[in-house]
Amino acid sequence: MKINTFQNKVWLASPTMHGDEMKYIKQAYDTNWMSTVGENINEVERIAAQKAEMKYAVALSCGTSALHLALKHAGESLYGKPAIVRGALDGKRVFCSDMTFVATLNPVVYEGGIPVFIDIEEETWNMDPEALEKAFEIYPEVKIVVSVELYGFPGRMDLIREICKKHGAILIEDAAEAMGATVCGKQCGSFGDYSVLSYNGNKIITGSAGGCLLTNNPEIANKIRKWSTQARENAPWYQHEEIGYNYRMSNVVAGVIRGQYAYLEDHISKKKTIYERYKEGLKYLPIQMNPIVDGTEPNYWLSCMTIDKDYMCKQVRGNTTVFYEKEQGKTCPTEILEMLEKYNAEGRPIWKPMHMQPIYRSHEFITREYNMRGNLTAQQNKDVSANIFERGVCLPSDNKMSEDEQNIIIEIIKSCF
Ligand SMILES: *Cc1c(COP(=O)(O)O)cnc(C)c1O
């Protein structure tokens, strides 16, 4: 195959600026609100809440800090205020998505909690409601669930929410990747008792950094806003009754986000076109694209594919290394990623599941077949997330990729089989 290397790298997902961002940054500069206070922050909170159909948004330094404060608040409301050197979740189990970016659940550990991982379902790549039910059978005392919408393609967050309600558990929705996506016509970010957005540089819209905590409860919003600004009490001096954090969003960053929000729909429609082109271009290959679940509308943030099992060449992955054997008509994620790299395009393996991560390997992992006796073979204890990881690739999904570039990427993928 004769394909020329891309002159400019084709990225997985890079920021796309439009000009308005600069106007709001400049406004912060010109008015000297170069601070964690200012009009841009107020506007981001207003717009974020309105778009996500939630009453309150708290603008924070990143999605991870939003998750941290959500977990801390949920923990305190359930288990009481901890002694000063302890976390709000000390020794408590929290059910978490297994297939996700690690930031979804690291904050559980910041607060001393124990993540218990819930498998995904094959049909949605998102938390399996059946496995979650199983988890509540085993640990009925668990009161917090952290669930993500993977790559902007939501699963059954509506069911996850119902299951949480039924068991009196708090739902923390990690909508970091799913801004603008919907489930049953409802915005992602509107399902959690606490929901989280991220404006990290690779997300569908970005502030270079930044995040929001969303809630319908004004007390939660006010408390988290207070914690995020060092937990100062209302007094003439710095007065402290609680532990605080420096987690507030900068007014400069907020300017970028404020400018970006106007282009959220535009970005979604570009991402959708990219996904549909892949779907069409790869339709005769033995692969599956991210599943689109009935009743949901994704934001199409990252287009991903899995290689059908029978078309996987031999691949052995160690902790940080991988080996594969080239076979005619077959391929594996590594071969595709190496080929993309060779032509100057960026792909990535699917998120490595949390129960396979060295740091979390000893934690419990609950599949729909899990039983307490632990007497299932690996085959019976069908581990969907490991299986998707084994065969999955995130494809270059950059807004600014041209149709020609994408056609070449499709040819590159075809050439791997
Ligand atoms: C990006 C991301 C986060 C973290 O957001 P930051 O703003 O980078 O802290 C959390 N969860 C998921 C699923 C993400 O993709």
Side-chain angles (χ1 to χ4, degrees), residues 62-64 67 100-101 103-104 148 174 176-177 198-200 203 210 351:
C62 61
T64 310
L67 282 156
T100 183
F101 181 50
T104 301
V148 72
D174 181 355
E177 301 177 357
S198 165
Y199 309 100
N200 183 296
K203 299 299 198 291
W351 298 132

Side-chain angles (χ1 to χ4, degrees), residues 269-323:
S269 102
K270 291 206 168 78
K271 296 277 192 185
K272 183 173 181 175
T273 305
I274 290 168
Y275 176 86
E276 286 174 346
R277 279 197 202 122
Y278 276 130
K279 188 139 191 142
E280 178 63 24
L282 302 171
K283 72 180 170 190
Y284 296 119
L285 290 181
I287 62 112
Q288 311 297 322
M289 301 284 299
N290 331 42
I292 297 178
V293 179
D294 276 354
T296 71
E297 181 57 36
N299 72 1
Y300 301 89
W301 174 54
L302 282 192
S303 288
C304 308
M305 56 169 253
T306 52
I307 301 157
D308 292 355
K309 221 180 177 155
D310 294 342
Y311 294 84
M312 280 282 294
C313 67
K314 205 172 281 165
Q315 171 190 248
V316 182
R317 280 172 166 166
N319 261 334
T320 56
T321 54
V322 55
F323 167 84

Side-chain angles (χ1 to χ4, degrees), residues 303-403:
S303 288
C304 308
M305 56 169 253
T306 52
I307 301 157
D308 292 355
K309 221 180 177 155
D310 294 342
Y311 294 84
M312 280 282 294
C313 67
K314 205 172 281 165
Q315 171 190 248
V316 182
R317 280 172 166 166
N319 261 334
T320 56
T321 54
V322 55
F323 167 84
Y324 71 91
E325 217 166 83
K326 176 69 200 144
E327 228 182 303
Q328 190 55 38
K330 298 186 178 188
T331 189
C332 61
T334 312
E335 184 181 26
I336 293 175
L337 293 171
E338 284 177 359
M339 280 292 269
L340 288 172
E341 196 182 311
K342 186 170 142 198
Y343 290 102
N344 204 20
E346 184 188 30
R348 193 200 278 151
I350 295 262
W351 298 132
K352 182 169 178 172
M354 289 303 121
H355 78 279
M356 298 170 74
Q357 299 287 353
I359 191 172
Y360 290 124
R361 211 172 263 161
S362 63
H363 285 233
E364 289 154 294
F365 169 55
I366 299 179
T367 65
R368 56 169 84 172
E369 276 92 4
Y370 184 92
N371 72 35
M372 292 284 267
R373 294 186 302 280
N375 58 359
L376 296 174
T377 64
Q379 192 56 33
Q380 286 169 318
N381 189 18
K382 262 203 255 156
D383 175 344
V384 180
S385 61
N387 187 269
I388 299 288
F389 171 60
E390 180 88 4
R391 300 183 290 114
V393 191
C394 304
L395 300 171
S397 304
D398 196 64
N399 281 341
K400 295 169 295 309
M401 172 171 64
S402 71
E403 186 166 358

Side-chain angles (χ1 to χ4, degrees), residues 1-153:
M1 187 182 54
K2 182 76 193 90
I3 293 175
N4 289 326
T5 304
F6 295 115
Q7 210 85 86
N8 298 312
K9 183 159 185 159
V10 179
W11 298 96
L12 190 74
S14 73
T16 306
M17 295 293 129
H18 301 275
D20 294 353
E21 299 87 353
M22 207 58 199
K23 182 177 91 190
Y24 295 120
I25 294 173
K26 188 158 186 309
Q27 193 172 305
Y29 185 94
D30 291 343
T31 57
N32 206 32
W33 288 105
M34 301 299 280
S35 170
T36 49
V37 184
E39 190 187 320
N40 288 334
I41 298 173
N42 302 339
E43 274 302 290
V44 165
E45 291 191 341
R46 186 185 64 77
I47 299 165
Q50 188 196 343
K51 287 259 181 193
E53 299 162 355
M54 289 287 259
K55 289 209 180 91
Y56 306 97
V58 182
L60 299 169
S61 56
C62 61
T64 310
S65 50
L67 282 156
H68 181 192
L69 296 186
L71 280 153
K72 179 183 162 91
H73 193 280
E76 285 199 4
S77 70
L78 288 164
Y79 309 118
K81 219 175 175 57
I84 198 155
V85 297
R86 313 296 297 257
L89 300 170
D90 259 4
K92 307 289 186 197
R93 288 186 173 84
V94 174
F95 295 149
C96 304
S97 290
D98 181 58
M99 176 165 273
T100 183
F101 181 50
V102 73
T104 301
L105 50 114
N106 272 345
V108 170
V109 181
Y110 301 169
E111 287 300 322
I114 306 167
V116 171
F117 301 115
I118 310 297
D119 201 6
I120 56 171
E121 49 177 353
E122 181 109 41
E123 309 77 44
T124 71
W125 294 10
N126 281 268
M127 186 183 276
D128 181 356
E130 245 184 83
L132 181 60
E133 279 287 13
K134 176 63 69 83
F136 275 116
E137 264 172 47
I138 300 167
Y139 295 114
E141 73 279 11
V142 169
K143 289 287 172 256
I144 304 177
V145 175
V146 189
S147 186
V148 72
E149 285 119 350
L150 198 76
Y151 298 132
F153 292 73

